[in-house]
Amino acid sequence: METKDIKAFGSEAAEAPLKTLDIKRRAVQAHDVEIEILYCGICHSDLHSARNEWHGTMYPIVPGHEIVGRVTKVGDHVKNFKVGQLAGVGCMVDSCRECDYCKNDLEQYCDEGNILTFNSPDKHLGGHTFGGYSQSIVVDENYVLHISDKLDLAGVAPLLCAGITTYSPLKHWKVGPGQKVGIVGIGGLGHMGIKLAKAMGAHVVVFTTSVSKFEAAKELGADEVVLSTDPEQMAKHAKSLNFILDCVSAEHNIDSYLNLLKVDGTLTLVGAPMEPLPVTSFSLLLGRRSFAGSAIGGIAETQEMLDFCAEHNITADIEIIGVNEVNDAYERLLKGDIKYRFVIDMASLK
């Protein structure tokens, strides 16, 4: 297959810093869309993958699955995209398309395993896929998203992961007016959860371990803010919440939050703690409560989320950096030194 050499920014080993690399992209096929990447968000999973902390990383790795840009070429059979349009790519670029999940717009749960935007087998060129820390990307049109020109493009980039990761469970558990919803943690995921739950009409209660984040939570749209380390403040919300979105990726006490749920309430985890989280049986049994998890969303739901955000003027709170700042950004990410997502201006990749 014909290929094209482009510049990218990635790593050749777990201990190595990210640097400029040359990679190959396939030539545009009949159903493909080629996108010049303008902005790419940095997700914590980029860091985990680059450093092989989840194991199984294939090197060289080019991270990035929060991609927004402009269409530069389309295949002969492409119907829904034209050259010059804005477009986005999220966490996956293909799936089996045949299993029940794929046929029901749940490609994120594909039985065969979807093809991730980076570090997945590349069925076209062999080897593995390369992500959005690059000049351009070629993706089947069925896995490309339409991007509104009404919003700040850089602020849209994190919606392709952080946005859909929080939107999908809020939508699935039917969050809306008349509901009291808890958001645990104010970070890359949590700040999006607050904005989306509020836009859906819910009464939003934010839980944080830091008093210094109270004002920020209110600015994001929280109706109430609770210091989760204060037993008295927590007790005031016992059995009061319909739904809790848990965005924390560190070890924390799940029971303390389950006990805040009403009967038939659900706590859904979207953070990814490395260690198991113990749960006391009676925290579930006595309120017929559920402890669940959720992973991104399908392509149709991701488009729905992008349209919802355009309608409600929602973008991520970001800090724009150049590619030469990515390694420093990773270190800052580990320290939580960001409000709330880094986005790379890909024009800086020369």
Side-chain angles (χ1 to χ4, degrees):
M1 179 180 289
E2 186 180 346
T3 62
K4 177 181 178 181
D5 291 330
I6 66 163
K7 291 195 179 299
F9 202 71
S11 176
E12 295 179 322
E15 302 81 16
L18 279 72
K19 64 178 184 179
T20 302
L21 304 171
D22 290 319
I23 64 170
K24 293 184 182 299
R25 296 291 192 197
R26 70 178 184 267
V28 172
Q29 304 300 299
H31 295 282
D32 284 341
V33 176
E34 180 185 72
I35 301 167
E36 176 194 5
I37 300 173
L38 301 177
Y39 297 99
C40 185
I42 293 180
C43 176
H44 212 119
S45 61
D46 295 353
L47 185 156
H48 288 307
S49 299
R51 298 182 177 181
N52 200 26
E53 293 175 353
W54 288 342
H55 310 295
T57 297
M58 295 174 279
Y59 294 96
I61 181 175
V62 175
H65 58 205
E66 300 178 344
I67 300 165
V68 292
R70 195 171 297 279
V71 176
T72 50
K73 192 173 183 180
V74 297
D76 293 340
H77 294 169
V78 170
K79 298 177 181 178
N80 296 318
F81 292 90
K82 296 180 180 179
V83 171
Q85 287 184 322
L86 296 175
V89 179
C91 300
M92 55 186 164
V93 293
D94 210 339
S95 63
C96 83
R97 313 189 194 196
E98 297 296 330
C99 71
D100 287 343
Y101 298 113
C102 284
K103 289 179 178 178
N104 286 283
D105 296 325
L106 293 168
E107 301 95 340
Q108 73 271 37
Y109 303 120
C110 174
D111 267 339
E112 298 297 320
N114 51 50
I115 303 298
L116 299 177
T117 306
F118 67 89
N119 209 48
S120 267
D122 187 332
K123 69 180 185 182
H124 299 278
L125 297 180
H128 55 276
T129 55
F130 295 119
Y133 299 7
S134 55
Q135 292 176 315
S136 64
I137 192 168
V138 178
V139 179
D140 185 292
E141 71 165 324
N142 291 296
Y143 297 81
V144 179
L145 289 310
H146 290 278
I147 302 295
S148 171
D149 60 3
K150 297 178 181 178
L151 299 175
D152 171 66
L153 198 58
V156 169
L159 301 182
L160 276 302
C161 179
I164 187 57
T165 296
T166 48
Y167 180 90
S168 186
L170 291 170
K171 180 73 183 301
H172 179 76
W173 275 277
K174 298 179 173 58
V175 165
Q179 287 194 318
K180 196 171 182 180
V181 172
I183 307 291
V184 183
I186 313 172
L189 292 176
H191 94 285
M192 288 305 310
I194 296 168
K195 292 185 179 188
L196 290 167
K198 186 66 178 176
M200 290 174 175
H203 180 94
V204 179
V205 184
V206 171
F207 297 87
T208 177
T209 59
S210 177
V211 174
S212 64
K213 292 186 177 181
F214 274 44
E215 185 176 342
K218 287 291 184 71
E219 290 174 354
L220 289 166
D223 296 290
E224 300 178 65
V225 189
V226 176
L227 185 65
S228 59
T229 55
D230 184 335
E232 289 188 10
Q233 289 190 39
M234 293 290 281
K236 290 179 181 177
H237 292 273
K239 301 180 181 179
S240 69
L241 302 177
N242 301 97
F243 180 79
I244 296 174
L245 187 68
D246 187 339
C247 304
V248 176
S249 289
E251 185 179 353
H252 57 294
N253 187 340
I254 291 293
D255 282 326
S256 66
Y257 294 105
L258 287 171
N259 292 325
L260 304 181
L261 290 169
K262 292 182 175 183
V263 171
D264 289 331
T266 297
L267 184 153
T268 298
L269 184 67
V270 291
M274 297 298 288
E275 299 299 325
L277 298 173
V279 173
T280 303
S281 58
F282 287 104
S283 295
L284 298 172
L285 298 178
L286 296 181
R288 199 163 64 187
R289 302 174 178 120
S290 299
F291 180 27
S294 179
I296 57 170
I299 298 300
E301 188 174 54
T302 303
Q303 187 63 63
E304 178 185 298
M305 175 275 304
L306 289 168
D307 296 342
F308 180 89
C309 288
E311 179 184 350
H312 294 273
N313 195 31
I314 295 172
T315 55
D317 289 13
I318 64 168
E319 178 180 333
I320 298 178
I321 62 171
V323 291
N324 61 325
E325 300 173 271
V326 170
N327 289 301
D328 289 338
Y330 276 15
E331 296 305 316
R332 288 179 56 192
L333 195 59
L334 288 172
K335 300 173 185 175
D337 179 23
I338 174 63
K339 275 189 166 181
Y340 291 96
R341 303 287 283 201
F342 288 112
V343 173
I344 308 168
D345 180 351
M346 295 313 303
S348 62
L349 180 61
K350 303 295 185 184

